[in-house]
Every structure is written in C-alpha cells, then in structure tokens.
Amino acid sequence: MTILRISNGRLIDPSQGLDQVADLWLRDNKVVGHGPHPSLQADQVIDATGKIVCPGLIDMHVHLREPGREEDETIATGTASALAGGVTSVACMPNTEPALDSQAAAEFVYLQAQRAGNANVFPIGAITKRREGKELAEIGGLVEGGAVAFTDDGSPVMSAEIMRRAMEYCRMFDKAVLSHSEDLELTKGGVMNEGSESMRLGLRGLPAAAEEVMVFREIALSELTGRAFTFFTSRRPAAWSSFAAASSAGRA
C-alpha cells in the first residue's frame, strides 16, 4: 500500500464545488481525501505549489491523424501529448484517411489507443461513408466498434434527408450528432468573414448566414426526429446566438 501526498496545490473539482489550496491524499492511486489527515503517513510527497491539481481534463475535439497521416501525428504521440497537458480522455474526429466510417476503423483506433497506454481515446464515427455526404456510414457497426458520437467533421452533410436518417439512427443508439454547420453554396470561394473589411479588400466573404441556415435546419430535423441532444460545431458567434435564441424559444 502506497500513500501519496500532493502538497500545496490549488485543488479544483467543479463536481464538488472545490477550489482551494490544500493537500491531496492518494492511496494506491485512488483519492482518499484532501486537507489535513494526521492519520496518514505519506510514502511520497509531490510539491504542487503554484500548480493546479484537478481531475483529468477531457478534450472533445482532437485530430489524431491515424490512420493515413502518421507523418503528422499518431494515436500514440497524440495521446502522449494529451497526458503532458493534463488531458486524460480525448474524442478523436473521423477525418482520417480512410475516414472512420466502419466498425473496423473504430476498433482500430480503440486498439491502437490500448496499445499506446496513454490517454483514453473515444472514436467519433463519420455520419456518411468517406465523409462525402452521399450515403450513410455503418452507424450500428460503428457503435459496436466503440464510436461515441457522429460527425462528418469539417464537411457539412448537405442532404437534409441523409441528416434526418442519421439523427434517427443515432437516436436508436442514444448517440449525439455533431453537425458541421455550413451551407457550401453560400461559402463557395470565400476566404474570410463577410463584412465591411472583406468588401474593402475586395475579397469573397463567408456570410454568417451560411452557418445560421444549417443550424436552423438541424433544429428543425431535431424536432422531426426527436433527437433532442444534437450538438453543433460553429466558428461564428452569430450562429451560436441564433441557436441560443431558438432554444430559449422552445424550438431546440
């Protein structure tokens, strides 16, 4: 039995409403308490003065690049980097080469993560095959392979019919759908946010409406399918504010 004391760190745990400078005590790598514990004798002490001590962080949007782009990143190197930053669990996007659009692909990610032995990895499956937006991926097989959610990350599903079916399938498996909110017809050729500055520079702009249109489409499809917990990826505050307004009005 080994007792570890992490001393003088700033303990932060939102689940307990905890934010204070104190000692943290662990027995055999399990937390047994914080603050003074006269009955415990530490076998090892780590001085955490000036540092934050908190539960492992979770990153819901990472790109591990494996398979297909191992020269940029692998599951082993990516998860090692995560741990170095205090992140103990990550959800990886499916825009690999090939895309994570099958049970075998999801299982590959899971097994590679097990082999690396670093942070926990939760694969997010592609909504459509090859992320092309033309045909649904193997939703059920991906769930069996360990997929925890679905998105065509970086590519919008332009077909409302396909997105509707994706939401219906994901509702069956109680999985979230993450929508890349972008109408490609409105962003075609765009290189920067549309506004007075893009006009001054004479550059084709990306209007906020390109995301707002898709956000409202997903809200309507959520109502239609009963997929109440659908999340949206958006890069513009305008799209989020529109979604928030619709939600407060009882539409989402």
Side-chain angles (χ1 to χ4, degrees), residues 9 81 96 101 130 146 150 153 164 222:
S81 297
T96 50
D101 60 1
R130 297 175 293 279
F150 292 86
D153 176 63
R164 173 189 179 178
S222 293

Side-chain angles (χ1 to χ4, degrees), residues 160 163-168 170-171 175-179 214-232 243 246-247 250-252:
M163 180 58 87
R164 173 189 179 178
R165 300 309 174 194
M167 289 185 181
E168 290 173 339
C170 287
R171 183 186 182 191
K175 301 300 179 185
V177 177
L178 292 81
S179 168
M214 293 296 278
V215 167
F216 279 101
R217 185 197 76 172
E218 313 302 36
I219 291 172
L221 291 177
S222 293
E223 292 178 335
L224 178 64
T225 62
R227 175 69 268 176
F229 298 99
T230 302
F231 298 86
F232 302 88
F243 173 61
S247 299
R251 291 189 57 199

Side-chain angles (χ1 to χ4, degrees), residues 59 64 79 82-83 87-92 113-114 117-123:
D59 192 334
L64 294 179
T79 52
L83 283 185
V87 176
T88 58
S89 296
V90 301
C92 62
Q114 291 285 95
N118 297 317
N120 300 313
V121 176
F122 300 96

Side-chain angles (χ1 to χ4, degrees), residues 20 52 83 90 95 101 108 140 213 224 241:
Q20 66 183 67
I52 290 175
L83 283 185
V90 301
N95 60 338
D101 60 1
F108 169 80
V213 165
L224 178 64
S241 61

Side-chain angles (χ1 to χ4, degrees), residues 145-240:
V148 297
F150 292 86
T151 181
D152 271 0
D153 176 63
S155 301
V157 178
M158 291 298 294
S159 168
E161 171 64 15
I162 291 177
M163 180 58 87
R164 173 189 179 178
R165 300 309 174 194
M167 289 185 181
E168 290 173 339
Y169 273 108
C170 287
R171 183 186 182 191
M172 291 169 54
F173 296 106
D174 194 27
K175 301 300 179 185
V177 177
L178 292 81
S179 168
H180 178 89
S181 312
E182 179 183 1
D183 187 320
L184 296 178
E185 291 296 320
L186 290 173
T187 61
K188 186 176 181 180
V191 296
M192 64 180 296
N193 286 340
E194 183 177 278
S196 58
E197 190 64 14
S198 66
M199 183 179 298
R200 184 183 72 82
L201 294 173
L203 296 175
R204 172 84 178 185
L206 302 162
E211 292 193 10
E212 294 169 350
V213 165
M214 293 296 278
V215 167
F216 279 101
R217 185 197 76 172
E218 313 302 36
I219 291 172
L221 291 177
S222 293
E223 292 178 335
L224 178 64
T225 62
R227 175 69 268 176
F229 298 99
T230 302
F231 298 86
F232 302 88
T233 60
S234 175
R235 297 174 181 169
R236 295 185 180 85
W240 280 108

